[in-house]
Amino acid sequence: MAVSASRNVAVLGPIPRDRIITHNGEIFEKYGCALYTVAALAALLDPDDRIHPIVHVRREDEDAIKEMLSAFPNVDLTGIRSASDHGAVVELTYTDQANRIEQQTAFMDPITPADVEFALDADAFVCVPITDYEVGQATLAYIKSHSDGTILLDAHGPTSTLVIGGERKRRLWVERDSWLPHIDVLKMNLEEAGCSWFPSPDALAHHDAGNPIPEEQLPDFAEHCLRHGVQAVCVTLDQRGCVAYHLDSGGALVEEQVPRIVVDDVVDATGAGDSFAAGMAFGFLQDHDIVSAARYGNAMGAQRVSGSGLDVYRPLAETDKQIAATYGEKS
């Protein structure tokens, strides 16, 4: 699909009120998840482009969320709704820079086909759910059948669930193959891939959800996804960047290693994955090249962890310089 002169991007996911306890023992509260995705896209896209966050929030949080997003002139607030007065509240306790324990005390209503109706002309739908029910298969199927926009899904949603008491746990994505035809770009980390790959008949019975996928199995997993309708798969590798997969014109699997962009001082890792998703969506819209998309993903993730506010994201020209400094100029 050709990129239009003026682009529209929808972002589907919660904007939870987070209480964060860092690995250094610091405690602070702020809004997160899709908020980071929207802010990162706002920095990359032009002033006349439009970003449409689609989210259910609590009435007590609505004004604060809208005030923060109103700082970005290319963000449309139509899809931020509080009619049900249901929004997410999450406590995140980091055990180190990359790992955390999650407790959820309030829950967003799921995003339904009716919620996305106004944005079906979007060039891309960036889905960043944190729990399996928030952006469901039916909603993705509706978008796929009523829109030409690229659908990017962060697998953090379908590989996470809530148990009694609000504790968030990993889950097996056993219904994976019924989702794949409705996804264009699939983004996940090694643990989420481990929740999504069952290469032997007895794998489910012996699977320990949450363990990272053995990296030698990544090509087989990625190829499975690509043979079931996905255009590109990207798996983040913590401090080593990410690996991206696609099929070439002859149908053969192509694997591309994309090293990370180094950050000397990691201030706050919250929202790094949500920012990575924003960069990937932007890069994929540029030329449908998964390596370029992964580089933008790495850049926005690196920018996110360099500070704690929404002002960490750089304009496109500066981000392009950051990418060129790491990977070299575009050929």
Side-chain angles (χ1 to χ4, degrees), residues 202-275:
D202 63 345
L204 285 177
H206 299 90
H207 202 87
D208 185 4
N211 280 348
I213 187 173
E215 291 190 34
E216 65 272 15
Q217 294 182 18
L218 274 177
D220 290 339
F221 167 64
E223 184 167 9
H224 178 92
C225 296
L226 295 166
R227 302 291 181 197
H228 283 74
V230 179
Q231 295 180 31
V233 175
C234 184
V235 181
T236 56
L237 305 173
D238 297 324
Q239 298 301 312
R240 291 176 290 134
C242 60
V243 58
Y245 298 91
H246 66 97
L247 301 179
D248 66 16
S249 58
L253 181 70
V254 178
E255 176 181 292
E256 304 272 6
Q257 297 283 336
V258 185
R260 71 180 178 125
I261 292 177
V262 176
V263 179
D264 294 329
D265 182 20
V266 175
V267 175
D268 178 11
T270 309
D274 305 307
S275 305

Side-chain angles (χ1 to χ4, degrees), residues 11-14 54 108-112 116 126-140 143 151-154 157-158 179:
V11 177
L12 285 64
I54 301 175
M108 181 188 85
D109 278 359
I111 295 171
T112 68
V116 303
V126 189
C127 304
V128 287
I130 61 172
T131 314
D132 50 5
Y133 76 91
E134 291 168 337
V135 182
Q137 176 189 340
T139 298
L140 295 188
I143 295 170
I151 299 173
L152 183 150
L153 176 69
D154 188 327
W179 285 62

Side-chain angles (χ1 to χ4, degrees), residues 255-317:
E255 176 181 292
E256 304 272 6
Q257 297 283 336
V258 185
R260 71 180 178 125
I261 292 177
V262 176
V263 179
D264 294 329
D265 182 20
V266 175
V267 175
D268 178 11
T270 309
D274 305 307
S275 305
F276 185 98
M280 277 205 72
F282 174 83
F284 203 75
L285 271 183
Q286 296 291 88
D287 51 18
H288 276 55
D289 180 77
I290 189 58
V291 173
S292 175
R295 289 174 176 178
Y296 277 106
N298 281 343
M300 302 319 285
Q303 290 174 27
R304 174 70 204 97
V305 304
S306 66
S308 59
L310 296 180
D311 57 352
V312 295
Y313 302 110
R314 306 178 189 179
L316 177 58

